[in-house]
Amino acid sequence: MMGEIQENFETISALIPAHCVLVAVSKTKPIPLLQKAYDYGQRVFGENKVQEMVDKHEILPKDIQWHMIGHLQTNKVKYIAPFVSLIHSIDSLKLLKEVQKQAAKNDRVVDCLLQVRIAQEETKFGLTIDDLNTILASEEVRAFNAVNIIGVMGMATNTDDEQQVRDEFNSLSTLFQQFKEQYIDHPIFKPKHVSMGMSGDFQMAIEEGSTMVRIGSSLFGARNYGSL
Ligand SMILES: *Cc1c(COP(=O)(O)O)cnc(C)c1O
């Protein structure tokens, strides 16, 4: 009986417009729950830990698109390079270089998003506007042949102040549009996606221009552990 998972997907899907991709964030959730989501028709799953993603990829159907949404250590890129579909969390040039290297080894082209620091909070990973310019203007990056930068990702501040969250989402959309125009001839910057919005704020994110929402607890239930 699919029951609850199916209902959750129906409820959430009804709130997401067709142009917006739903990434089902399945971190910490057991395989049978992911299988239920798969049976419902979900094909895009987000994980934030390399080992967990590798384990789930090995067991679940091969037509699932796996998105890495969490902070990624350079020395672990090699484990996901053979199959990862999109990395949301590129937060350094060093990491992008490693993805290029490992994707090339696997004869693949891996899509990436640049994670931008939009939150006021100190704790969030992410690039500044200067960092983005450095990466996109780099001759080395322009010559990459095994990665595409298809957009940006951001996480808003964890606060009850709705206006602040909205402003942060809006700033990411605005920045995306600017970079889209500024780097229109860039060989590997092929801007398609603004990844923003989670269970608590995805409707606002969509209103502010999100094209990809990352939703976990509203689909799979609350995670019963401390971190993230
Ligand atoms: C866990 C996580 C999400 C999903 O959070 P929910 O509040 O459960 O929807 C989205 N994005 C990132 C980067 C995450 O780590």
Side-chain angles (χ1 to χ4, degrees), residues 25 27 48 69-71 88 115 153 155 197-200 213-219 221 223 225 228:
V25 176
K27 61 190 188 197
N48 70 339
I69 63 168
H71 179 62
H88 290 234
Q115 183 171 352
M153 182 272 239
M155 287 171 86
M198 320 197 332
S199 290
V213 290
R214 310 176 309 268
I215 301 183
S217 42
S218 294
L219 294 172
R223 292 175 296 275
Y225 71 133
L228 290 167

Side-chain angles (χ1 to χ4, degrees), residues 75-200:
N75 62 352
K76 293 190 176 167
V77 173
K78 57 177 176 285
Y79 302 116
I80 61 169
F83 68 89
V84 69
S85 163
L86 177 62
I87 300 173
H88 290 234
S89 44
I90 300 294
D91 57 5
S92 71
L93 180 52
K94 183 175 165 232
L95 179 58
L96 187 65
K97 281 185 196 178
E98 182 64 13
V99 177
Q100 155 67 29
K101 182 177 153 190
Q102 298 298 336
K105 266 194 192 170
N106 285 277
D107 273 319
R108 299 189 68 224
V109 177
V110 171
D111 287 340
C112 294
L113 303 175
L114 299 176
Q115 183 171 352
V116 185
R117 189 178 170 278
I118 54 169
Q120 301 292 320
E121 290 170 305
E122 284 300 326
T123 53
K124 298 273 155 73
F125 292 103
L127 301 157
T128 64
I129 294 181
D130 282 352
D131 297 332
L132 292 179
N133 275 307
T134 302
I135 289 173
L136 292 172
S138 153
E139 286 303 323
E140 186 185 8
V141 170
R142 293 177 68 94
F144 282 173
N145 58 3
V147 292
N148 281 322
I149 301 171
I150 66 162
V152 293
M153 182 272 239
M155 287 171 86
T157 303
N158 186 9
T159 171
D160 291 336
D161 184 344
E162 286 199 8
Q163 191 59 47
Q164 183 181 344
V165 172
R166 188 178 288 280
D167 289 347
E168 290 174 359
F169 285 149
N170 186 272
S171 73
L172 187 60
S173 286
T174 304
L175 200 119
F176 175 74
Q177 290 304 330
Q178 282 167 2
F179 277 92
K180 202 169 157 176
E181 286 165 30
Q182 192 177 337
Y183 292 97
I184 194 152
D185 293 325
H186 198 291
I188 71 152
F189 182 52
K190 299 166 183 172
K192 275 196 279 288
H193 283 296
V194 181
S195 165
M196 59 184 191
M198 320 197 332
S199 290

